[in-house]
Each structure stands twice: as structure tokens, then as C-alpha cells.
Amino acid sequence: MRVLTLPTIVNLRRLSIKRCGMREIEIEKTTSSSSSSWNKIHTAPYFSNLSKVFITKCHGLKDLTWLLFAPNLAFLQVSFSRQLEDIINQEKAASVENAATIVPFRRLETLHLSALRGLERIYWNALPFPCLKVIHVEKCWKLRKIPLDSNSGAGGKELVLSYGDREWIEKLEWEDQATRVRFLTSCRWHWRATQ
């Protein structure tokens, strides 16, 4: 298995990973434990200044759980990575020390997901997304639920759900009727002539 191990880079602000064949991205261990890097890893913000991440054509990746350690992430774009199943994997996240105290994507403003044919989950529960302005989803047909509830995105600005496929929005499963009512009016069809 090919693994990309990211060292702690406190001053890293932008990360772009393209055309890589790795199967997993891990965080460099800071303990002497010989167990998996996901077990008992410290929850210090390894990438405290990382604000933009671009992942493109990384076909072997299954998840991006390492993003739990980028608390100030504002922009995430993931595209053309056909085996990606989860943005944050529940099992891996549960094995992180103090996992219950980590709420991902608190600073996220833009989430752009496209051509991820294996993507099934962003996160398993609704998230607050206090800063989120735009979620764009295109050609992610297995993604049936967005981690929103009626309290998500309560930062005072409209949260726009932009989508590229009308059939996808029609099949989207909402947390409850209140969530559907709140966000369906802010859904925008993003048509492209190349479709």
C-alpha cells in the first residue's frame, strides 16, 4: 500500500496534491507508539495555518480523514478521485485521541466536490458549518446526503448548495423536513455546456 505521510508543517497555508497513486494520507507520528498513526494520535492542530486544499486525480485515495488536523481550513476542492468514499471516515476519526471534541470544518467557507464517483459520505452526522457559504457538488452520484441540519450554517449568511445534476438534487436525502425547507430554496443548478 502506498502511503503519503505528511509531516507537521505549522506554516503551510495551501496544499495541492495532483495525479498521485497513493492509497492513504497519514499524519507523521509524534509518539513512539508502533500502532497505526490513527490510534492515539495527538489532537494538536498539525496544520493550524492550512486554509486551502486541492486534491485532484488521486484515484487510489479512500478518505481524507487527516483534514481533522486542519482546523482553519477555509477552502476544500476534491475532484476526479474515483475511489474516494469518505471525506472524513467515521472509523478512522473514532480512533483519534479526544475525537469527541473535534468538530471538523468550523472555518470552512467553500466545499467543492466534483467527479467523485465513489464518494458516499462527507461526514456521518450533521455539522454546524458556521462559516460555510457554498457547497458545490457535481458528478458525485453516490453522495445521497449532505451533513446539514436546520441549524447548520447559522453564521448569518446564506449557504448556497450548488449542483451540476438535476437528478442528483431530486434524490438528495435531507436530515428532516425543517432542513429541506431551509436549504432547498438556496439550491442553485450550475449548468455547464460541456455536460
Side-chain angles (χ1 to χ4, degrees), residues 125-183:
N125 287 326
L127 291 169
F129 289 121
C131 299
L132 196 61
K133 298 173 186 173
V134 176
I135 299 176
H136 177 82
V137 179
E138 187 171 357
K139 297 182 182 177
C140 299
W141 295 294
K142 287 187 177 180
L143 183 64
R144 290 286 172 232
K145 194 169 185 180
I146 303 292
L148 299 172
D149 64 17
S150 59
N151 296 313
S152 298
K157 296 184 180 180
E158 180 184 42
L159 194 165
V160 174
L161 177 55
S162 170
Y163 60 95
D165 310 287
R166 286 188 175 175
E167 186 178 329
W168 177 82
I169 198 71
E170 291 167 3
K171 293 182 178 179
L172 190 64
E173 299 170 10
W174 299 95
E175 183 73 18
D176 51 34
Q177 184 61 18
T179 305
R180 183 179 184 277
V181 167
R182 172 147 186 241
F183 291 107

Side-chain angles (χ1 to χ4, degrees), residues 12-147:
L12 183 68
R13 297 184 187 285
R14 177 184 166 129
L15 178 65
S16 182
I17 304 174
K18 297 180 180 181
R19 300 176 193 264
C20 290
M22 73 258 186
R23 303 276 180 210
E24 188 169 0
I25 298 175
E26 292 185 348
I27 305 299
E28 187 174 62
K29 296 180 199 179
T30 59
T31 64
S32 59
S33 170
S34 60
S35 62
S36 165
S37 65
W38 289 109
N39 294 328
K40 297 183 180 176
I41 196 166
H42 293 297
T43 57
Y46 286 78
F47 306 101
S48 57
N49 289 310
L50 184 61
S51 63
K52 292 185 178 181
V53 171
F54 303 83
I55 308 282
T56 305
K57 295 185 179 178
C58 295
H59 296 301
L61 280 178
K62 298 282 189 185
D63 67 87
L64 301 174
T65 307
W66 68 273
L67 291 173
L68 288 173
F69 302 100
N72 294 308
L73 187 67
F75 183 94
L76 175 60
Q77 179 177 314
V78 188
S79 57
F80 300 100
S81 299
R82 59 178 169 252
Q83 292 185 31
L84 192 74
E85 297 173 357
D86 301 299
I87 300 299
I88 305 292
N89 177 275
Q90 185 174 8
E91 184 178 316
K92 280 187 179 179
S95 70
V96 173
E97 185 179 326
N98 300 321
T101 64
I102 300 174
V103 179
F105 307 128
R106 284 195 164 276
R107 302 284 176 107
L108 194 67
E109 296 177 8
T110 302
L111 176 59
H112 186 102
L113 306 170
S114 63
L116 303 170
R117 64 185 186 196
L119 184 66
E120 296 180 12
R121 285 165 301 280
I122 296 169
Y123 196 75
W124 58 94
N125 287 326
L127 291 169
F129 289 121
C131 299
L132 196 61
K133 298 173 186 173
V134 176
I135 299 176
H136 177 82
V137 179
E138 187 171 357
K139 297 182 182 177
C140 299
W141 295 294
K142 287 187 177 180
L143 183 64
R144 290 286 172 232
K145 194 169 185 180
I146 303 292

Side-chain angles (χ1 to χ4, degrees), residues 184-195:
L184 200 55
T185 57
S186 66
C187 290
R188 307 284 186 267
W189 181 41
H190 181 75
W191 182 81
R192 288 189 181 179
T194 57
Q195 287 186 334

